[in-house]
Structure formats: structure tokens, C-alpha cells
Amino acid sequence: MDRRTPDPVQAAPACAECVRLSNEQQAANAEGDYSRESDCRVLLARHRAAEHGGER
């Protein structure tokens, strides 16, 4: 089964929470933990929508 993950949402460079979530997402991907990677992607998107006006 081919598991391809979508491109990660880019973190805002000056936001510590964006960087933390992005790093967690990358670590999960490297470990093959696609469920955790997806969770991080969702949390990052929610954070960006709430704190950064939804910019990507």
C-alpha cells in the first residue's frame, strides 16, 4: 500500500507554536506515524486559522 502524505503546512517563522507543531509533524512523518502526523497537521491548521488569520 502506497502511503503518501500531503505537503506539510508551512509554519510562520516567528511563531514558536507553529515551529513546534511543524517539527512534531516532521518527526512523526520520519517515524512513519501517519496518524500523529495528520493530528499535527490539523492542529497546525487550526492554530494558524485562530492566531494568524488562516494564512498558509
Side-chain angles (χ1 to χ4, degrees):
M1 184 160 101
D2 184 22
R3 291 191 152 217
R4 295 182 186 193
T5 58
D7 292 336
V9 177
Q10 295 300 315
C15 178
E17 186 65 5
C18 284
V19 171
R20 185 188 73 76
L21 288 168
S22 181
N23 289 342
E24 180 72 17
Q25 179 184 354
Q26 290 173 8
N29 186 357
E31 295 168 9
D33 188 344
Y34 302 112
S35 176
R36 190 172 105 221
E37 179 192 17
S38 179
D39 291 345
C40 291
R41 191 171 45 253
V42 169
L43 290 171
L44 182 57
R46 286 180 184 170
H47 165 75
R48 291 186 62 81
E51 300 298 324
H52 306 295
E55 56 185 64
R56 287 193 171 256

